[in-house]
């Protein structure tokens, strides 16, 4: 577990920002696809600022069908694009268990861990309404069924990542053998809604297991490494974070931010909401000066292991976070940036798991 005197800091880098009208801050046309240059700039700024982890939100259908609808590449592709451009920040795409074959999902995440040299994470998505599942020709799932499927997919992904022992790749030139078949193991898994037969087609990830981040509402704490807690007030957040930590996992608070930039944060939020109201996500939401956010994060430090920030508009809020918030936390001893070349598990203070098949 992390030292409770410090915080681990993640930032979500989806599109132009968390607010549906964030594109108005950039001046780009509505619905314009986020460019490679914009993604490169956002990830580079987040890493230079010293964030522990960057996440990439995603959904089977666009977040809006109106003026604010934005096209985007799927999150796994965005994270893979960012991997060779970075050397210390973790990269965690949202991949949905309900719309992606579990075997392919596990392979994609293992490949991301190899490409990033051990900095991959996975935000578990479980979109399951009729519009979401119509994208794969399936029917809507109940909340309970979606939770069961999420737990099953995390379980089988972990087994598939272990299906290659760490020393399975031998590259024996003399015999022409690439791997030792005795160190690659068969996986046969049957869940409530699917079955998978392994082994994986990709060697074991550098971290052993990709870091799994699960939204608290999925209630799969025991299957995760980090639980993302979105509660609207500090008391509820404290209670839910304590439940997660009782499972031996890290708890991250979800906080949406609109900071004083060219205008006060409250006024910026009102202007954005006048264009398109920001739906209530059930998360903590802060609007105001950087100093106020620093105090909020300071108050959360005894309660959670980390915080995932959702900037309303990356173009306006990310520079303030980089120039004012993170330096203030570091000066107070509440935050430490990751080291170049460190794995995400190392930065988070999580051990590298032993392979379940290893003797």
């Amino acid at each position: 577990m992390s030292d409770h005197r410090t915080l681990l800091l993640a930032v979500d880098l989806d599109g132009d920002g968390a607010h549906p009208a964030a594109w108005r801050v950039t001046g780009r046309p509505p619905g314009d696809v986020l460019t490679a240059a914009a993604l490169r700039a956002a990830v580079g700024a987040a890493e230079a600022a010293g964030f522990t982890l960057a996440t990439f939100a995603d959904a089977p259908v666009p977040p809006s069908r109106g003026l604010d609808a934005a096209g985007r590449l799927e999150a796994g592709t965005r994270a893979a694009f960012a991997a060779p451009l970075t050397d210390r920040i973790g990269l965690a795409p949202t991949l949905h268990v309900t719309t992606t074959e579990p075997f392919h999902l596990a392979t994609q995440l293992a490949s991301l861990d190899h490409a990033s040299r051990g900095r991959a994470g996975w935000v578990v998505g479980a979109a399951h309404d009729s519009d979401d599942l119509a994208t794969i020709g399936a029917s809507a799932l109940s909340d309970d069924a979606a939770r069961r499927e999420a737990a099953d997919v995390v379980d089988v992904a972990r087994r598939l990542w272990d299906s290659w022992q760490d020393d399975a790749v031998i590259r024996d030139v003399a015999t022409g053998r690439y791997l030792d078949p005795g160190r690659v193991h068969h996986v046969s898994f049957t869940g409530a809604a699917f079955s998978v037969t392994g082994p994986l087609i990709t060697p074991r990830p550098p971290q052993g297991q990709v870091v799994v981040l699960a939204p608290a509402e999925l209630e799969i704490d025991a299957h995760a490494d980090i639980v993302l807690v979105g509660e609207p007030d500090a008391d509820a957040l404290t209670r839910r974070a304590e439940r997660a930590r009782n499972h031996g996992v890290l708890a991250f608070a979800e906080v949406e931010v609109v900071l004083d930039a060219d205008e006060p944060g409250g006024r910026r939020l009102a202007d954005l909401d006048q264009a398109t109201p920001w739906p209530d996500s059930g998360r903590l939401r802060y609007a105001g000066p950087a100093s106020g956010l620093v105090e909020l994060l300071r108050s959360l430090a005894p309660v959670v292991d980390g915080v995932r920030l959702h900037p309303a508009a990356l173009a306006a809020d990310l520079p303030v976070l980089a120039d004012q918030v993170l330096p203030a936390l570091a000066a107070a001893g509440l935050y430490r940036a990751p080291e170049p070349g460190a794995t995400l598990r190392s930065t988070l203070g999580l051990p590298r798991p032993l392979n379940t098949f290893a003797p």
Side-chain angles (χ1 to χ4, degrees), residues 188-312:
S188 182
F189 181 92
T190 301
F194 64 88
S195 61
V196 170
T197 299
L200 204 62
I201 58 173
T202 306
R204 195 175 192 227
Q207 295 183 99
Q209 298 271 325
V210 171
V211 175
V212 177
L213 300 89
E217 57 269 23
L218 281 181
E219 299 288 350
I220 59 168
D221 299 17
H223 303 266
D225 298 297
I226 297 172
V227 173
L228 301 171
V229 182
E231 294 287 353
D233 64 80
D235 289 341
L237 193 153
T238 299
R239 291 192 298 271
R240 185 61 184 88
E242 184 176 0
R243 279 178 52 203
R245 288 160 73 171
N246 285 341
H247 283 281
V249 302
L250 303 179
F252 274 40
E254 299 268 52
V255 181
E256 298 169 344
V257 296
V258 194
L259 298 169
D260 291 0
D262 53 334
E263 292 184 332
R267 185 181 304 165
R268 288 184 52 228
L269 178 57
D271 289 344
L272 289 168
D273 277 347
Q274 186 173 9
T276 306
W278 194 358
D280 182 5
S281 64
R283 301 167 178 152
L284 280 177
R285 183 175 293 176
Y286 172 82
S291 59
L293 178 59
V294 171
E295 289 307 309
L296 173 61
L297 298 179
R298 185 191 296 268
S299 72
L300 292 176
V303 176
V304 297
D305 302 285
V307 175
R308 180 167 69 150
L309 299 173
H310 298 261

Side-chain angles (χ1 to χ4, degrees), residues 16 23-24 27-33 66-71:
D16 294 311
W23 62 269
R24 296 174 182 274
R28 292 194 301 108
D32 191 21
V33 175
L67 183 63
D68 300 309

Side-chain angles (χ1 to χ4, degrees), residues 13 35-47 81 85 318:
L13 300 180
T35 65
L39 177 58
R40 181 186 294 111
V43 174
E47 180 169 73
F81 174 81
L85 305 176
L318 189 54

